Amino acid sequence: MNITSTTIAKYNDQALTAHQRRLANLTAELPQATSLLKLLEAFQVAIPSWALGTGGTRFGRFGLGGEPRNLEEKITDIGLLHTLNRSSGAVSLHIPWDIPEDAAKIKALAGQFGLAFDAMNSNTFQDQEDQPLSYKFGSLQHVDKAVRAQAIQHNIDVVKYGEALGSKALTVWLADGSCFPGQLNFREAFNRTLDSLREIYAALPGDWKLYLEYKAFEPNFYSTTVADWGQSLLFVSKLGRQAYTLVDLGHHLQGANIEQIVALLLMEGRLGGFHFNDSKYGDDDLTVGSIKPYQLFLIFCELVEGMDARGMDHARDLGWMIDASHNVKDPLEDLLQSVEAIMLAYAQALLVDRPALADARAQNDIVRAQEILQTAYRTDVRPLIAEARLRTGGALDPLAVYRGEAVRQQLTKERGTGGRATGL
Ligand code: RM4
Ligand code: MN
Ligand code: MN
């Protein structure tokens, strides 16, 4: 399945007049439109290799036709997304779900679609068939040194796979923790985890980053060894300058003020990566922006302000990735919606009149501060995102092309209905 630039141009031509009218209305009030477009064109969000098939819950899974059967097909799917929206130009691999057996071949295939390799993800939250020791009671925190050694070696192997692909970061997410009071000595578990992370950190190439992702609960339900941003920050501060905290939107307790967390992590130079999804209750892994788009906007306001305060490149200096699971939607359509939601929140955050906001704050004018934020949030920036896509060769309306070209039906014809992609 391949969507050509001619096909995209055909759809764009049909939608062009209406698009231009909407864009003109918007840009008439936006003197900074040209510089915004440049930032939007550069912004890329990585797609995880584990989210291209249908996800499931612990109760069941309802499959879909045409799921990618191997890493090559997953990369082709991400290439398709990037062809349509020009904002999904990176792949994030999960080992061992997606081992690049022939790195040169995989790299070349990704290159054909203009895809780079973002952070590599290790997996010590499941046992693999050929694995000698079990992670039932944890991995890097385990009381048995041999289990820790196995988990450390796995992370080092993941770095090796990533080096061959040109990746520059390792994401460590640990399921380690305890399910019942009394099961674990918290201090000892922390220190064993720290020692293990130190060994992984020592094996990190000089130009790599280590992202330590936290999660409040699940699969352990009493304690998690890297449970929140404070604990992650404690670990990464002890590890060294190449270690950073990774924020996954779904990994907080309900009501947590994530925008404040990212502001402080950025201030400390310790925010490394970001996993986007949305949720209503827990780690629901729903489509980005589908439940709490205003929260996403507020988070982006802090990201933009915090990155600018440190002179960071929005597109390059943090690892941006979608981390969602698609239980009832076509994963590719869901990912197109997620990328769109991210771009919208980013563009709206760029619209905030920051000097005016600083002034309102200095005057304790809360009403004006809220008006300033909501003026940006309530601006319909969709024509701007569409224009950024148009200028980079993408589709004005990626979903319309996807559906118009019957992509899922084509993929199902090519790949059949029985396949199940590795992943969530
Ligand atoms: C976890 C976590 C990690 C991801 C796995 C698949 O909940 O978010 O980032 O690697 O899921
Ligand atoms: Mn995550
Ligand atoms: Mn998660």
Side-chain angles (χ1 to χ4, degrees), residues 50 94 97 121 125 173 213 215 248 251 275 283 323 424:
W50 62 94
H94 211 294
W97 288 338
N121 301 265
F125 50 87
W173 172 67
E213 180 173 2
K215 180 170 176 173
D248 180 315
H251 288 194
H275 285 181
D283 188 23
D323 190 6
L424 283 172

Side-chain angles (χ1 to χ4, degrees), residues 84-147:
L84 292 172
N85 66 19
R86 309 308 297 161
S87 312
S88 315
V91 185
S92 194
L93 287 192
H94 211 294
I95 307 294
W97 288 338
D98 292 295
I99 294 181
E101 301 290 358
D102 184 343
K105 202 172 132 211
I106 292 296
K107 210 175 162 185
L109 178 66
Q112 281 174 26
F113 295 110
L115 304 174
F117 285 90
D118 205 85
M120 301 291 294
N121 301 265
S122 59
N123 179 343
T124 59
F125 50 87
Q126 285 176 322
D127 285 347
Q128 307 303 322
E129 260 172 33
D130 52 351
Q131 181 184 310
L133 302 167
S134 172
Y135 296 132
K136 182 173 180 181
F137 302 113
S139 58
L140 299 185
Q141 74 165 22
H142 204 284
V143 288
D144 181 349
K145 195 173 190 320
V147 179

Side-chain angles (χ1 to χ4, degrees), residues 137-138 141 174-179 183-184 220 222-226:
F137 302 113
Q141 74 165 22
L174 300 173
D176 293 29
S178 66
C179 262
Q183 188 183 334
L184 212 60
N220 274 293
Y222 173 61
S223 74
T224 300
T225 299
V226 192

Side-chain angles (χ1 to χ4, degrees), residues 18 78 109 121 156 167 171 234 256 263 298 339 341 348 369 395 407 423:
I78 300 173
L109 178 66
N121 301 265
I156 296 173
S167 168
T171 297
L234 199 57
L298 295 174
V339 174
Q348 289 168 329
V407 174

Side-chain angles (χ1 to χ4, degrees), residues 305-316:
E305 208 247 349
M307 286 189 288
D308 288 352
R310 297 183 69 86
M312 292 166 73
D313 181 319
H314 297 179
R316 260 193 272 274

